[in-house]
Amino acid sequence: MSFRAFVVDMQDEDFSAGVQSLDEGQLPAGDVTIDVQWSSVNYKDGLATLPKGRVVTQYPMVPGIDLAGRVRESADDRFSAGQEVLITGYDLGVAHFGGFAEVARVPGDWIVPLPGGLSAEEAMALGTAGFTAGLSVEALQAHGVTPESGPVLVTGATGGVGSTAVAILARLGYTVAASTGKADEHDYLRALGASEILSREEVSEESRRPLERERWAGAIDPVGGATTAYILRTLKRDGVNAVSGLTGGAGVNTTVMPFILRGASLVGVESVYCPMPRRSEIWRRLAGDWKPDALLDAIAVRTDLDGVAAAAAAILRGAVRGRTLVRLG
């Protein structure tokens, strides 16, 4: 049986990326075969479409670090034909054929049963970005940041992690400030629940001061770089920054002052190899009390396999708002 997939390949110095027809004999080894219904486009997927993106470890590769669909057949007794499932992270889409295909074959240990309260489409409107936002919210709560603690800043707020984080925090009753470099997206962020909008320049400005006025009880930061340094300087006492990205740079110019004088915490958020018990609990919360209001209407836009290349290029140049879903089934 043949199926369509978006494939990237590198033969010698010749790189290609586009939709191809594959057959099931070309699928990698795995315990469970899935008819993919939905996937989503993440920044890592955008990098996978570049010849020097440095995320794909072997070619040819089907990108797509997220997928949701129905089990077709399973050699793993934890899963049965017809069961709805989702996968994010692990080696999906970088070292193992991923979600930009109508059929996938994966190890059973990567699979999360789709929790009640989420459709496959909604699961991919969350995807790795929403899962990372959920882990970030968990980090704030684990360090005692409550709605009563004060405002929480979300950086890169129109991106996938940021949009979802704004919506989750607002749903939970937090006062949310959102930063963005897109002046025309303020109404979008306010609709998600942000009560204050900051410019990208304000939250990435360099300073010689090791500490500035206390503003934020916590922050969710998928940007990194100078923005992380700004957050650390402006956290309130015992404030927490959950950092998950580096679109603003990998280096952070800071001092120990926020940590030793205000008790600030810098918490790293890693989603790819999150242990399954914790992974399952985060997805349960995302399907329940953390589920953003109007998830599909507010955060998601849709494309298909033929639109993947354009969506990947858009996310790399920062032109995407929210989440881009890929319809496959």
Side-chain angles (χ1 to χ4, degrees), residues 34 39 54 77 95 110 135 137 162 187 189 226 241 253 319 325:
I34 299 169
S39 185
R54 297 183 179 179
D77 59 12
W110 295 0
L135 289 169
V137 171
D187 289 345
L189 293 172
N241 182 22
N253 182 17
L325 309 189

Side-chain angles (χ1 to χ4, degrees), residues 154-165:
V154 178
T155 67
T158 60
V161 176
S163 294
T164 313

Side-chain angles (χ1 to χ4, degrees), residues 145-209:
V145 179
T146 68
E148 293 71 35
S149 301
V152 173
L153 174 65
V154 178
T155 67
T158 60
V161 176
S163 294
T164 313
V166 170
I168 293 172
L169 289 168
R171 178 179 174 85
L172 295 176
Y174 289 83
T175 300
V176 185
S179 73
T180 179
K182 301 173 183 176
D184 57 346
E185 298 288 13
H186 290 197
D187 289 345
Y188 166 71
L189 293 172
R190 292 190 186 280
L192 291 180
S195 57
E196 180 181 0
I197 312 294
L198 287 75
S199 70
R200 178 187 298 158
E201 291 74 22
E202 182 175 353
V203 302
S204 61
E205 186 176 2
E206 298 285 353
S207 174
R208 293 184 177 181
R209 296 180 179 179

Side-chain angles (χ1 to χ4, degrees), residues 13-290:
E13 297 299 316
D14 185 17
F15 181 81
S16 62
V19 178
Q20 299 181 17
S21 179
L22 303 179
D23 63 62
E24 289 194 38
Q26 294 172 275
L27 288 171
D31 308 310
V32 183
T33 302
I34 299 169
D35 289 316
V36 182
Q37 297 172 317
W38 291 92
S39 185
S40 63
V41 181
N42 297 272
Y43 191 79
K44 186 182 285 188
D45 300 317
L47 292 175
T49 67
L50 300 177
K52 296 182 180 179
R54 297 183 179 179
V55 296
V56 173
T57 62
Q58 60 186 46
Y59 292 100
M61 182 54 56
V62 175
I65 64 172
D66 300 338
L67 69 81
R70 291 184 182 274
V71 174
R72 177 188 294 184
E73 56 186 29
S74 176
D76 186 322
D77 59 12
R78 293 173 293 181
F79 307 101
S80 57
Q83 184 176 4
E84 292 188 297
V85 296
L86 67 91
I87 304 168
T88 63
Y90 297 101
D91 289 337
L92 198 70
V94 292
H96 187 103
F97 281 14
F100 295 164
E102 294 172 336
V103 182
R105 183 174 293 140
V106 298
D109 287 342
W110 295 0
I111 298 174
V112 176
L114 188 71
L118 277 184
S119 67
E121 184 180 11
E122 289 173 327
M124 291 297 95
L126 293 164
T128 288
F131 180 61
T132 301
L135 289 169
S136 301
V137 171
E138 178 197 49
L140 297 188
Q141 293 185 337
H143 284 76
V145 179
T146 68
E148 293 71 35
S149 301
V152 173
L153 174 65
V154 178
T155 67
T158 60
V161 176
S163 294
T164 313
V166 170
I168 293 172
L169 289 168
R171 178 179 174 85
L172 295 176
Y174 289 83
T175 300
V176 185
S179 73
T180 179
K182 301 173 183 176
D184 57 346
E185 298 288 13
H186 290 197
D187 289 345
Y188 166 71
L189 293 172
R190 292 190 186 280
L192 291 180
S195 57
E196 180 181 0
I197 312 294
L198 287 75
S199 70
R200 178 187 298 158
E201 291 74 22
E202 182 175 353
V203 302
S204 61
E205 186 176 2
E206 298 285 353
S207 174
R208 293 184 177 181
R209 296 180 179 179
L211 295 171
E212 296 181 20
R213 178 171 64 91
E214 297 181 37
R215 297 190 67 179
W216 316 114
I220 291 179
D221 177 23
V223 174
T227 297
T228 300
Y230 162 83
I231 292 168
L232 292 173
R233 294 194 305 270
T234 55
L235 281 176
K236 296 163 70 78
R237 186 168 300 279
D238 296 323
V240 183
N241 182 22
V243 61
S244 61
L246 46 65
T247 58
V252 179
N253 182 17
T254 189
T255 71
V256 298
M257 297 300 187
F259 306 105
I260 65 175
L261 295 182
R262 290 182 180 168
S265 296
L266 181 62
V267 180
V269 176
E270 191 281 322
S271 67
V272 176
Y273 296 108
C274 178
M276 186 56 72
R278 184 181 176 205
R279 182 182 293 263
S280 297
E281 175 61 16
I282 294 295
W283 277 108
R284 185 190 70 79
R285 299 294 299 273
L286 289 169
D289 59 329
W290 289 1

